[in-house]
Amino acid sequence: MIFSRLSRPQPTLRLRLTLVYGALFMVAGLTLLGVTYLLFDQQLNQYFESRFAPEPGKFKKTFLLRDGIELSGEAAREFIERQEMELRGVAVTSLITQGAVALIVVGAAAVVLGWVVAGRVLAPLHQVTATARRIAAAPMAERGLHERISLDGPDDEVKELADTFDTMVERLDHSFDGQRRFVANASHELRTPLTLNRALVELAMHRRTATPDVKELGESLLEINARHERLISGLLLLARSDQHIADRSPVDLADVVTHVVAHTSSDAFEAKVTMYEVAEQAPTTGDALLLERLVHNLVENGIRYNVDDGTGWVRVVSRTVSDGKVEVEVSNTGPSVPPYDVHLLFKPFHRHGAERTVTGKSAGLGLSIVRSVALAHGGEVRARPREGGGLVVIASLPRPRPGHVVS
């Protein structure tokens, strides 16, 4: 019973306001009609009593009808009573019957007018709702925070709500901008000490007096330092890819796929992973370096998370689909990924499996960068587990419109 009530569609606020307007008008009309009839009936009684009330026991009024007949006494009394009943009947017909019909007609017009008035009253709220929906529908919430309602009108409750909403969104926008600037600045500042650390460790390792223990420790430190450098580079790239791509140039994803596969073939050979490439034309527009990073991270992820028995493979495909988009699909063999865990792979610093140590090769930013780059280009990324183990990741990007001039 509870679920049936929750699933039942609820009337809109505009409809409820219209029904309230109509009900109030009908109640007011019926009240006015009833009061009018009572006042008329009272006035009619007073008129007959003042004009034709007989003295006790007699009725002395005499009436001359249109045809010359005079009525007096009991006949005159009966005539007056008959006239009074007829007048009351006409009053009932005029006030009650015809008034009710007029009330229904005018009530229907009032309902229509109430619908129009309610729509005009709620129009600012629809503007607030539309802006909130555009912000919520943005690929990433912080990318829609530049939207503002900027409601014009009198300083009433609705405008106060819209102005408060604009203030809240503006503060959130500034907060996200500050967060991105902090990540970029902090990552940039951390590069200098890491570079200095690497130089000092290498200097200590190449001294003539360096013992094997010192060299082994230096190799571990260099590996940790390299991972931190990759992490910082990923943070810088992530901060950059979170920005909207304004300066776009033509890019064919087939060329990107060919270039990335050629540069990662040595990594695949060392990991005993076979590479398969199907580079069909897939024209799009955007930042070529970011799109190359997108494909590189997908291929690198496919090589890293694979089987180690020499039977693993990575398949990279670029293609044009029928709905005005181009795609890059990277599938691989590898460990099984639960379907409920797929969406977590696109979160920063999340690494699937047991690779969570400080010396791990992955910084946990690869797929999150892929997602940010795709969203910055107006696209999307989706993934699903592959039957038999591994993952299928598809990055979808928009094709350039016919006649579109790239800035």
Side-chain angles (χ1 to χ4, degrees):
M1 180 63 70
I2 295 177
F3 290 103
S4 63
R5 290 179 180 177
L6 293 176
S7 61
R8 186 181 305 166
Q10 299 295 326
T12 62
L13 179 59
R14 185 180 185 182
L15 178 59
R16 295 201 298 270
L17 287 176
T18 302
L19 294 177
V20 170
Y21 294 157
L24 291 176
F25 180 85
M26 294 299 294
V27 170
L30 290 173
T31 303
L32 179 61
L33 187 62
V35 171
T36 302
Y37 175 76
L38 292 176
L39 292 176
F40 178 81
D41 184 71
Q42 183 180 6
Q43 189 69 24
L44 188 64
N45 290 333
Q46 292 178 356
Y47 174 78
F48 278 100
E49 289 176 359
S50 62
R51 293 285 307 271
F52 308 109
E55 296 179 1
K58 294 184 178 180
F59 191 88
K60 295 183 178 181
K61 296 289 183 180
T62 301
F63 296 94
L64 178 63
L65 303 182
R66 291 181 179 180
D67 53 3
I69 301 176
E70 289 187 358
L71 295 177
S72 61
E74 192 66 23
R77 184 182 63 79
E78 293 178 356
F79 174 77
I80 294 302
E81 291 179 353
R82 195 164 52 248
Q83 291 296 318
E84 183 179 358
M85 292 179 61
E86 291 178 359
L87 186 58
R88 290 182 184 278
V90 172
V92 170
T93 302
S94 299
L95 290 177
I96 304 302
T97 306
Q98 297 179 2
V101 173
L103 181 61
I104 293 175
V105 174
V106 177
V111 170
V112 174
L113 183 62
W115 176 265
V116 175
V117 171
R120 293 181 64 87
V121 171
L122 295 176
L125 292 180
H126 289 310
Q127 187 175 348
V128 175
T129 304
T131 304
R133 283 178 177 173
R134 286 195 300 271
I135 293 176
M140 295 183 70
E142 61 269 23
R143 302 228 179 114
L145 293 178
H146 66 280
E147 292 274 359
R148 298 293 184 273
I149 299 173
S150 301
L151 185 65
D152 296 328
D155 293 331
D156 53 11
E157 290 82 356
V158 178
K159 191 173 187 305
E160 183 180 0
L161 172 64
D163 292 343
T164 304
F165 183 85
D166 285 344
T167 303
M168 178 190 68
V169 173
E170 185 176 4
R171 293 185 64 181
L172 287 174
D173 193 15
H174 291 164
S175 176
F176 277 109
D177 284 340
Q179 182 182 16
R180 282 192 292 267
R181 286 194 299 268
F182 172 77
V183 171
N185 293 334
S187 301
H188 181 75
E189 292 297 328
L190 286 174
R191 278 185 166 181
T192 301
L194 286 178
T195 303
L196 181 61
N197 288 340
R198 185 176 67 251
L200 293 176
V201 171
E202 290 177 349
L203 180 62
M205 290 175 59
H206 290 86
R207 286 180 178 176
R208 294 181 179 179
T209 57
T211 63
D213 292 337
V214 171
K215 293 182 179 180
E216 184 179 357
L217 177 61
E219 291 177 357
S220 299
L221 292 175
L222 286 177
E223 187 176 356
I224 296 174
N225 199 85
R227 181 182 180 275
H228 289 164
E229 289 178 348
R230 288 195 300 270
L231 174 60
I232 292 173
S233 298
L235 288 174
L236 282 172
L237 184 60
L238 187 61
R240 179 188 172 195
S241 62
D242 275 341
Q243 305 296 327
H244 181 69
I245 305 301
D247 188 11
R248 293 172 174 262
S249 58
V251 180
D252 192 341
L253 293 181
D255 298 334
V256 177
V257 167
T258 301
H259 176 76
V260 171
V261 169
H263 279 72
T264 56
S265 58
S266 58
D267 295 335
F269 179 78
E270 292 178 3
K272 299 179 182 180
V273 173
T274 305
M275 298 287 294
Y276 297 98
E277 173 190 347
V278 182
E280 299 178 0
Q281 285 189 348
T284 186
T285 60
D287 189 308
L289 292 177
L290 288 179
L291 292 176
E292 179 185 342
R293 174 56 59 181
L294 180 150
V295 178
H296 184 275
N297 282 6
L298 289 177
V299 174
E300 187 180 45
N301 190 77
I303 295 174
R304 178 178 294 124
Y305 297 99
N306 216 307
V307 295
D308 54 1
D309 57 1
T311 62
W313 52 264
V314 175
R315 187 170 182 265
V316 188
V317 179
S318 64
R319 57 174 175 259
T320 300
V321 292
S322 59
D323 58 350
K325 293 185 178 182
V326 295
E327 291 180 347
V328 173
E329 177 182 313
V330 178
S331 55
N332 70 317
T333 54
S336 298
V337 181
Y340 54 82
D341 200 27
V342 170
H343 72 283
L344 297 176
L345 301 177
F346 293 94
K347 293 184 177 296
F349 305 109
H350 180 86
R351 294 183 293 275
H352 181 67
E355 189 185 302
R356 299 180 183 274
T357 60
V358 295
T359 58
K361 294 182 179 180
S362 173
L365 293 173
L367 291 182
S368 61
I369 292 175
V370 168
R371 179 174 178 266
S372 295
V373 171
L375 294 178
H377 286 78
E380 61 178 359
V381 179
R382 59 188 186 274
R384 68 176 187 274
R386 194 186 70 86
E387 292 185 8
L391 202 65
V392 178
V393 184
I394 301 175
S396 178
L397 300 172
R399 293 184 60 187
R401 298 187 299 273
H404 176 68
V405 178
V406 180
S407 59

PDB file of all heavy atoms in Angstrom, residues 132-146:
ATOM      1  N   ALA A 132      18.871  24.796 -12.389  1.00  0.00           N
ATOM      2  CA  ALA A 132      19.378  23.732 -11.518  1.00  0.00           C
ATOM      3  C   ALA A 132      19.543  22.431 -12.290  1.00  0.00           C
ATOM      4  O   ALA A 132      20.515  21.686 -12.077  1.00  0.00           O
ATOM      5  CB  ALA A 132      18.426  23.538 -10.335  1.00  0.00           C
ATOM      6  N   ARG A 133      18.616  22.142 -13.215  1.00  0.00           N
ATOM      7  CA  ARG A 133      18.727  20.910 -14.008  1.00  0.00           C
ATOM      8  C   ARG A 133      19.922  20.972 -14.949  1.00  0.00           C
ATOM      9  O   ARG A 133      20.597  19.960 -15.165  1.00  0.00           O
ATOM     10  CB  ARG A 133      17.440  20.684 -14.793  1.00  0.00           C
ATOM     11  CG  ARG A 133      16.292  20.151 -13.942  1.00  0.00           C
ATOM     12  CD  ARG A 133      15.031  19.987 -14.761  1.00  0.00           C
ATOM     13  NE  ARG A 133      13.965  19.403 -13.962  1.00  0.00           N
ATOM     14  CZ  ARG A 133      12.706  19.278 -14.383  1.00  0.00           C
ATOM     15  NH1 ARG A 133      12.374  19.698 -15.592  1.00  0.00           N
ATOM     16  NH2 ARG A 133      11.798  18.728 -13.599  1.00  0.00           N
ATOM     17  N   ARG A 134      20.174  22.148 -15.536  1.00  0.00           N
ATOM     18  CA  ARG A 134      21.339  22.255 -16.425  1.00  0.00           C
ATOM     19  C   ARG A 134      22.634  22.042 -15.652  1.00  0.00           C
ATOM     20  O   ARG A 134      23.568  21.411 -16.148  1.00  0.00           O
ATOM     21  CB  ARG A 134      21.354  23.619 -17.119  1.00  0.00           C
ATOM     22  CG  ARG A 134      20.330  23.767 -18.223  1.00  0.00           C
ATOM     23  CD  ARG A 134      20.640  24.973 -19.097  1.00  0.00           C
ATOM     24  NE  ARG A 134      20.632  26.211 -18.346  1.00  0.00           N
ATOM     25  CZ  ARG A 134      19.546  26.956 -18.161  1.00  0.00           C
ATOM     26  NH1 ARG A 134      18.380  26.575 -18.662  1.00  0.00           N
ATOM     27  NH2 ARG A 134      19.611  28.080 -17.480  1.00  0.00           N
ATOM     28  N   ILE A 135      22.682  22.562 -14.426  1.00  0.00           N
ATOM     29  CA  ILE A 135      23.874  22.352 -13.608  1.00  0.00           C
ATOM     30  C   ILE A 135      24.015  20.874 -13.248  1.00  0.00           C
ATOM     31  O   ILE A 135      25.106  20.301 -13.310  1.00  0.00           O
ATOM     32  CB  ILE A 135      23.797  23.216 -12.342  1.00  0.00           C
ATOM     33  CG1 ILE A 135      23.871  24.702 -12.708  1.00  0.00           C
ATOM     34  CG2 ILE A 135      24.919  22.869 -11.370  1.00  0.00           C
ATOM     35  CD1 ILE A 135      23.694  25.628 -11.529  1.00  0.00           C
ATOM     36  N   ALA A 136      22.886  20.245 -12.875  1.00  0.00           N
ATOM     37  CA  ALA A 136      22.940  18.827 -12.494  1.00  0.00           C
ATOM     38  C   ALA A 136      23.247  17.936 -13.688  1.00  0.00           C
ATOM     39  O   ALA A 136      23.857  16.873 -13.534  1.00  0.00           O
ATOM     40  CB  ALA A 136      21.613  18.415 -11.859  1.00  0.00           C
ATOM     41  N   ALA A 137      22.817  18.360 -14.914  1.00  0.00           N
ATOM     42  CA  ALA A 137      23.030  17.534 -16.098  1.00  0.00           C
ATOM     43  C   ALA A 137      24.398  17.739 -16.723  1.00  0.00           C
ATOM     44  O   ALA A 137      24.735  17.060 -17.692  1.00  0.00           O
ATOM     45  CB  ALA A 137      21.952  17.826 -17.146  1.00  0.00           C
ATOM     46  N   ALA A 138      25.197  18.680 -16.199  1.00  0.00           N
ATOM     47  CA  ALA A 138      26.538  18.896 -16.728  1.00  0.00           C
ATOM     48  C   ALA A 138      27.369  17.634 -16.537  1.00  0.00           C
ATOM     49  O   ALA A 138      27.180  16.890 -15.564  1.00  0.00           O
ATOM     50  CB  ALA A 138      27.206  20.082 -16.033  1.00  0.00           C
ATOM     51  N   PRO A 139      28.272  17.321 -17.481  1.00  0.00           N
ATOM     52  CA  PRO A 139      29.083  16.101 -17.358  1.00  0.00           C
ATOM     53  C   PRO A 139      29.773  15.983 -16.015  1.00  0.00           C
ATOM     54  O   PRO A 139      29.846  14.925 -15.432  1.00  0.00           O
ATOM     55  CB  PRO A 139      30.095  16.252 -18.503  1.00  0.00           C
ATOM     56  CG  PRO A 139      29.428  17.134 -19.493  1.00  0.00           C
ATOM     57  CD  PRO A 139      28.588  18.076 -18.684  1.00  0.00           C
ATOM     58  N   MET A 140      30.287  17.107 -15.514  1.00  0.00           N
ATOM     59  CA  MET A 140      30.819  17.153 -14.158  1.00  0.00           C
ATOM     60  C   MET A 140      30.201  18.367 -13.496  1.00  0.00           C
ATOM     61  O   MET A 140      30.049  19.422 -14.119  1.00  0.00           O
ATOM     62  CB  MET A 140      32.348  17.248 -14.156  1.00  0.00           C
ATOM     63  CG  MET A 140      33.024  16.014 -14.746  1.00  0.00           C
ATOM     64  SD  MET A 140      34.817  16.099 -14.645  1.00  0.00           S
ATOM     65  CE  MET A 140      35.050  15.911 -12.881  1.00  0.00           C
ATOM     66  N   ALA A 141      29.816  18.207 -12.225  1.00  0.00           N
ATOM     67  CA  ALA A 141      29.025  19.245 -11.561  1.00  0.00           C
ATOM     68  C   ALA A 141      29.704  20.603 -11.620  1.00  0.00           C
ATOM     69  O   ALA A 141      29.064  21.623 -11.861  1.00  0.00           O
ATOM     70  CB  ALA A 141      28.775  18.851 -10.097  1.00  0.00           C
ATOM     71  N   GLU A 142      31.046  20.637 -11.424  1.00  0.00           N
ATOM     72  CA  GLU A 142      31.714  21.927 -11.374  1.00  0.00           C
ATOM     73  C   GLU A 142      31.742  22.626 -12.717  1.00  0.00           C
ATOM     74  O   GLU A 142      31.969  23.816 -12.799  1.00  0.00           O
ATOM     75  CB  GLU A 142      33.148  21.763 -10.847  1.00  0.00           C
ATOM     76  CG  GLU A 142      34.043  20.867 -11.689  1.00  0.00           C
ATOM     77  CD  GLU A 142      33.991  19.424 -11.232  1.00  0.00           C
ATOM     78  OE1 GLU A 142      32.993  19.040 -10.598  1.00  0.00           O
ATOM     79  OE2 GLU A 142      34.943  18.690 -11.502  1.00  0.00           O
ATOM     80  N   ARG A 143      31.463  21.870 -13.824  1.00  0.00           N
ATOM     81  CA  ARG A 143      31.492  22.496 -15.136  1.00  0.00           C
ATOM     82  C   ARG A 143      30.210  23.250 -15.436  1.00  0.00           C
ATOM     83  O   ARG A 143      30.149  24.013 -16.382  1.00  0.00           O
ATOM     84  CB  ARG A 143      31.712  21.414 -16.203  1.00  0.00           C
ATOM     85  CG  ARG A 143      32.994  20.639 -15.981  1.00  0.00           C
ATOM     86  CD  ARG A 143      33.789  20.522 -17.253  1.00  0.00           C
ATOM     87  NE  ARG A 143      35.013  19.795 -16.965  1.00  0.00           N
ATOM     88  CZ  ARG A 143      35.286  18.601 -17.458  1.00  0.00           C
ATOM     89  NH1 ARG A 143      34.444  18.011 -18.246  1.00  0.00           N
ATOM     90  NH2 ARG A 143      36.429  18.011 -17.163  1.00  0.00           N
ATOM     91  N   GLY A 144      29.159  23.021 -14.676  1.00  0.00           N
ATOM     92  CA  GLY A 144      27.920  23.742 -14.896  1.00  0.00           C
ATOM     93  C   GLY A 144      27.713  24.880 -13.920  1.00  0.00           C
ATOM     94  O   GLY A 144      26.664  25.532 -13.968  1.00  0.00           O
ATOM     95  N   LEU A 145      28.687  25.121 -13.060  1.00  0.00           N
ATOM     96  CA  LEU A 145      28.511  26.129 -12.021  1.00  0.00           C
ATOM     97  C   LEU A 145      28.631  27.550 -12.544  1.00  0.00           C
ATOM     98  O   LEU A 145      28.443  28.494 -11.779  1.00  0.00           O
ATOM     99  CB  LEU A 145      29.536  25.902 -10.903  1.00  0.00           C
ATOM    100  CG  LEU A 145      29.345  24.615 -10.103  1.00  0.00           C
ATOM    101  CD1 LEU A 145      30.430  24.476  -9.056  1.00  0.00           C
ATOM    102  CD2 LEU A 145      27.975  24.593  -9.441  1.00  0.00           C
ATOM    103  N   HIS A 146      28.965  27.733 -13.815  1.00  0.00           N
ATOM    104  CA  HIS A 146      28.981  29.083 -14.374  1.00  0.00           C
ATOM    105  C   HIS A 146      27.571  29.575 -14.686  1.00  0.00           C
ATOM    106  O   HIS A 146      27.375  30.754 -14.979  1.00  0.00           O
ATOM    107  CB  HIS A 146      29.824  29.113 -15.649  1.00  0.00           C
ATOM    108  CG  HIS A 146      29.229  28.313 -16.770  1.00  0.00           C
ATOM    109  ND1 HIS A 146      29.365  26.931 -16.834  1.00  0.00           N
ATOM    110  CD2 HIS A 146      28.483  28.670 -17.844  1.00  0.00           C
ATOM    111  CE1 HIS A 146      28.740  26.490 -17.906  1.00  0.00           C
ATOM    112  NE2 HIS A 146      28.196  27.509 -18.538  1.00  0.00           N
TER     113      HIS A 146
END
